[in-house]
Amino acid sequence: MYPSGLKANALLISVSLIALTVMLGVRANTVARVHIEGSKALLERDIPLQQMLFQLDAAFTAKQQAQKKWEITEDVAYGELFAKYGVLEARIIREVTEVWPGFDIIAKEAANGGLTEAHIQRAQEMLISEKAAALRDAREVAAGLLRVMTVALVLSIVITAWLILLLYQGLLHPLRRLRDATARIRDGELACRMKENGVSELKEIAQDFNSMAARLETLDQAKNDFLATISHEIRNPMTALKEGLSLLASEEKKLSAESQKKCLSACLIASKRLEFMINNLLNLSRTESGILERDFSRRNIAAAIQTAIDEIRPIAERKSISVRLLAPELVFMSFHWEGIVQAFVNLLLNAIKYGRESSIVDVMITNEVPSPNVEIEVMNAGADIPHDELPKIFDRFYRGANSLKQQGMGVGLHVVKKVVEAHQGAVSALSGSGHTRIRISLPKTQRLSGAASFVGGGHG
Ligand SMILES: Nc1ncnc2c1ncn2[C@@H]1O[C@H](COP(=O)(O)OP(=O)(O)OP(=O)(O)O)[C@@H](O)[C@H]1O
Ligand SMILES: [Mg+2]
């Protein structure tokens, strides 16, 4: 099973990890800054405070000595000295209290009952214990940060491992299946398909793979059908030719002049069918490789169509069909002679094959002066092409419902379309009320496309 929404999962996890890291970073930064600031203030305060306490101690001692000497000698000078040190002592106590509010209790006690040695000593001890408490705090904060970082690290490792597992299941597993499926296609198992599930990207790969395999299968089938059809189609005229010729060559069966003529005509038709078939295949590959356009020359297209009519006349006669060309005598334009002859042979063969016996096939060329195109129409009388088949009849290998009893490969109209397109023209089909018309429109002037095209035109 693929995890669904791998992309969304990975995105969510990455965003959470980044958010967690950012939050932890900001928190650690704030805590560390507060403690650094605190420690810095403590250090900055400590030295001057020590000095002040030292001065206080000195002022206190000097005051006591002056007092003792004043009491013994009763000298006024010592009395003044005592008072002076007393003022100094009071000033230092004020200054210490300003810098260090914790000294306030001692300052109050000294104000009430006078400063003693014990006060100064207590102040020293209070300072030391304050420093020790600050150090303890810093250690605890550091330990806390370390704990949070460790948890984050463990979390990251777990999440990363989970992601790797997801990737393994979500990517590696399907990749292996893709490799297996590719190997099966390589070995000729064209019906092999992949399951179209999983995350969107893998689903798309599976869909592309399946459409590629389906296309390969269709092409393979088309190739097989084509080979089967072509060998079947070639076999028919080949057999007719072989049998006709062996009949003519037979020593035992002497044919009458009439039968010999019939036999020769059958051979001629069989060889023509072979020729048309081979020409069709040749033109198909010519149009598909784009080499048809290289051989354009400015000639009379009515003459090319007349050549096509002459070629199929023996076949038309067998069905008592007459073919008429209604056209101006000269219609000069740039085109590929063999391509156009083949296209009209195909259209006429269809008109005969699917046309009614003893009917007329009309070929009309219209070359109006203001029109940029020459219009040509081939019309026959016969069963209609069903409406839904009309868009498909120009497809390669397509054969209509009416063709079941007829020979053919389904390439005739496809070659017509390809030849017309090589001339930058258009072809369409109309069928109804017992008449089928194939219309071709060819530009009189070829648009230049590289060295391949010629500039033609004119009218006859
Ligand atoms: N004049 C027509 N009247 C009726 N149906 C036609 C006519 N021309 C073509 N079709 C239909 O169109 C289909 C395709 O024609 P296309 O010429 O390509 O193939 P085909 O004649 O069957 O075989 P091929 O031309 O290769 O020998 C035919 O099978 C037929 O059903
Ligand atoms: Mg045909």
Side-chain angles (χ1 to χ4, degrees):
M1 253 314 271
Y2 303 114
S4 61
L6 177 69
K7 205 162 73 181
N9 273 343
L11 202 75
L12 198 76
I13 292 163
S14 307
V15 168
S16 316
L17 265 179
I18 291 168
L20 187 74
T21 316
V22 169
M23 268 162 60
L24 277 175
V26 170
R27 179 85 192 112
N29 186 28
T30 320
V31 172
R33 186 170 294 176
V34 166
H35 278 269
I36 286 168
E37 291 297 322
S39 310
K40 220 168 100 188
L42 214 65
L43 272 176
E44 277 171 0
R45 192 190 68 173
D46 195 52
I47 295 163
L49 214 55
Q50 291 284 2
Q51 277 173 355
M52 281 184 216
L53 285 179
F54 182 72
Q55 283 168 3
L56 185 63
D57 194 25
F60 171 71
T61 315
K63 190 187 93 181
Q64 270 188 330
Q65 279 173 2
Q67 188 185 14
K68 269 185 198 153
K69 281 184 185 163
W70 184 28
E71 280 168 7
I72 296 165
T73 60
E74 290 187 350
D75 188 347
V76 185
Y78 285 117
E80 282 172 1
L81 212 55
F82 168 73
K84 203 174 120 198
Y85 283 126
V87 172
L88 183 65
E89 186 192 89
R91 205 189 77 216
I92 295 173
I93 287 174
R94 237 183 4 260
E95 282 173 6
V96 172
T97 315
E98 268 169 29
V99 178
W100 178 30
F103 191 70
D104 194 44
I105 313 166
I106 295 172
K108 274 183 186 144
E109 281 177 18
N112 291 335
L115 190 73
T116 62
E117 193 70 42
H119 284 133
I120 294 171
Q121 209 171 342
R122 225 171 82 213
Q124 300 274 17
E125 282 165 9
M126 273 166 71
L127 255 189
I128 290 166
S129 80
E130 255 187 36
K131 263 198 292 180
L135 202 68
R136 215 172 32 248
D137 265 14
R139 268 203 207 114
E140 269 170 23
V141 167
L145 279 178
L146 197 69
R147 262 198 310 278
V148 173
M149 289 300 187
T150 313
V151 169
L153 191 72
V154 171
L155 251 169
S156 306
I157 290 170
V158 170
I159 290 169
T160 311
W162 183 51
L163 260 180
I164 289 170
L165 196 77
L166 272 184
L167 282 176
Y168 178 81
Q169 284 189 333
L171 288 177
L172 237 56
H173 185 58
L175 273 180
R176 285 214 180 112
R177 287 169 31 146
L178 180 65
R179 187 196 58 192
D180 293 348
T182 317
R184 282 165 67 187
I185 293 274
R186 181 199 61 204
D187 297 340
E189 206 185 312
L190 298 180
C192 159
R193 297 288 181 275
M194 283 188 75
K195 267 192 201 156
E196 294 179 5
N197 57 6
V199 289
S200 55
E201 294 87 347
L202 291 168
K203 208 163 146 182
E204 277 166 25
I205 291 177
Q207 281 165 351
D208 286 350
F209 178 89
N210 287 346
S211 39
M212 178 200 75
R215 175 121 182 84
L216 277 177
E217 208 181 0
T218 315
L219 286 175
D220 195 53
Q221 189 56 44
K223 181 201 76 189
N224 291 342
D225 291 351
F226 178 67
L227 285 177
T229 318
I230 204 170
S231 31
H232 177 258
E233 287 301 309
I234 284 177
R235 198 174 301 135
N236 279 334
M238 283 296 283
T239 315
L241 251 179
K242 204 176 81 190
E243 280 174 7
L245 289 174
S246 57
L247 214 61
L248 283 169
S250 165
E251 297 281 327
E252 300 151 28
K253 286 186 190 167
K254 282 279 166 232
L255 296 178
S256 65
E258 179 73 6
S259 305
Q260 276 186 12
K261 213 174 149 196
K262 270 191 184 164
C263 199
L264 273 172
S265 134
C267 285
L268 183 75
I269 286 171
S271 64
K272 273 207 170 298
R273 245 179 44 217
L274 268 177
E275 185 195 350
F276 295 149
M277 212 183 292
I278 290 162
N279 280 351
N280 259 337
L281 296 174
L282 204 68
N283 274 315
L284 194 65
S285 74
R286 268 191 198 147
T287 50
E288 270 166 12
S289 58
I291 53 173
L292 198 79
E293 292 95 323
R294 286 187 220 147
D295 257 343
F296 280 27
S297 57
R298 196 166 178 272
R299 295 171 80 169
N300 179 13
I301 199 163
I305 294 171
Q306 185 59 58
T307 307
I309 295 174
D310 293 343
E311 286 211 22
I312 54 86
R313 202 175 295 282
I315 299 169
E317 277 167 4
R318 290 184 109 201
K319 246 179 128 176
S320 311
I321 290 177
S322 55
V323 184
R324 296 190 302 200
L325 175 63
L326 312 162
E329 216 170 282
L330 295 171
V331 186
F332 272 94
M333 57 184 287
S334 179
F335 64 94
H336 187 277
W337 179 272
E338 276 115 42
I340 288 293
V341 170
Q342 182 67 45
F344 281 91
V345 161
N346 288 355
L347 291 179
L348 291 164
L349 283 178
N350 280 353
I352 296 162
K353 189 155 62 170
Y354 304 108
R356 230 187 11 249
E357 237 171 277
S358 312
S359 62
I360 295 172
V361 171
D362 275 329
V363 184
M364 279 158 287
I365 307 179
T366 316
N367 182 26
E368 303 286 352
V369 177
S371 168
N373 300 323
V374 170
E375 313 289 343
I376 312 165
E377 186 178 279
V378 177
M379 185 184 81
N380 71 277
D384 294 340
I385 304 175
H387 197 68
D388 60 316
E389 278 189 13
L390 281 177
K392 296 184 253 177
I393 58 171
F394 294 98
D395 291 351
R396 186 161 50 166
F397 306 136
Y398 181 81
R399 304 205 72 211
N402 61 356
S403 71
L404 293 179
K405 288 186 193 143
Q406 311 282 355
Q407 290 175 340
M409 298 185 290
V411 294
L413 285 183
H414 184 68
V415 169
V416 171
K417 187 171 169 244
K418 286 286 180 181
V419 169
V420 169
E421 280 172 357
H423 287 79
Q424 296 160 9
V427 58
S428 59
L430 286 169
S431 196
S433 318
H435 283 91
T436 296
R437 298 158 200 267
I438 309 289
R439 280 188 186 152
I440 288 176
S441 178
L442 295 173
K444 292 175 193 171
T445 309
Q446 294 290 307
R447 284 187 306 276
L448 273 176
S449 65
S453 301
F454 293 80
V455 178
H459 50 88

